[in-house]
Amino acid sequence: MSLAFLVFLVVWIIGMIGTFVPALPATVIIFAGAVAATFIDGFQVWPDLPFLLTFAVLTLLISLVDNVASAWGARRYGGSRQAVWGALIGGLVGLFLPFGLIVGPLAGALVVELFVVRKPVPAALRAAWGTLVGLLTGLAAKLVLHLLLGVYELWRLWDPAKSLFG
């Protein structure tokens, strides 16, 4: 294992853990690890520049997954735009509560639908459920995408000839 491989591996693990923490930009952390590893490995315009540019575009797109998925879930189940914001704020508040990553978005969307949008309880529950389904779908998608990006980058950096251990 080379130094670049080890640096990326550590940063990727931090990013994978950060996938479950809404306040951490996990995708950006993983991208930063790829950039650092590329420079440690000895940046070459070809093939590193096209790789990093592609990774940057993927980072931007993956960062949008949460928003698109939660909006989809809210809309699919009859929620309002305010419910999406309530779910996001609830998710941030939920960071400090047990099971907050699940309860926070659900409670945030429900409270907003009931007290801001003033929907009846069954409609508010349905919208809150949809927001939660969307957030969990987005989380699953990000987890898979982070896993694929990390495995690809580790494969790209693997060079037994540059091993630190022999």
Side-chain angles (χ1 to χ4, degrees), residues 99-114:
F99 304 106
L101 293 177
I102 295 173
V103 175
L106 183 66
L110 181 62
V111 166
V112 167
E113 288 290 279
L114 286 173

Side-chain angles (χ1 to χ4, degrees), residues 73-94:
R75 293 287 185 214
R76 174 86 170 84
Y77 287 84
S80 64
R81 281 189 205 162
Q82 294 92 332
V84 174
W85 283 104
L88 291 174
I89 292 168
L92 291 174
V93 171

Side-chain angles (χ1 to χ4, degrees), residues 45-98:
V45 174
W46 183 261
D48 293 334
L49 184 60
F51 166 74
L52 290 176
L53 291 174
T54 302
F55 206 131
V57 170
L58 289 173
T59 298
L60 179 65
L61 294 175
I62 292 170
S63 296
L64 299 174
V65 166
D66 280 341
N67 296 331
V68 171
S70 62
W72 167 83
R75 293 287 185 214
R76 174 86 170 84
Y77 287 84
S80 64
R81 281 189 205 162
Q82 294 92 332
V84 174
W85 283 104
L88 291 174
I89 292 168
L92 291 174
V93 171
L95 287 174
F96 306 104
L97 304 172

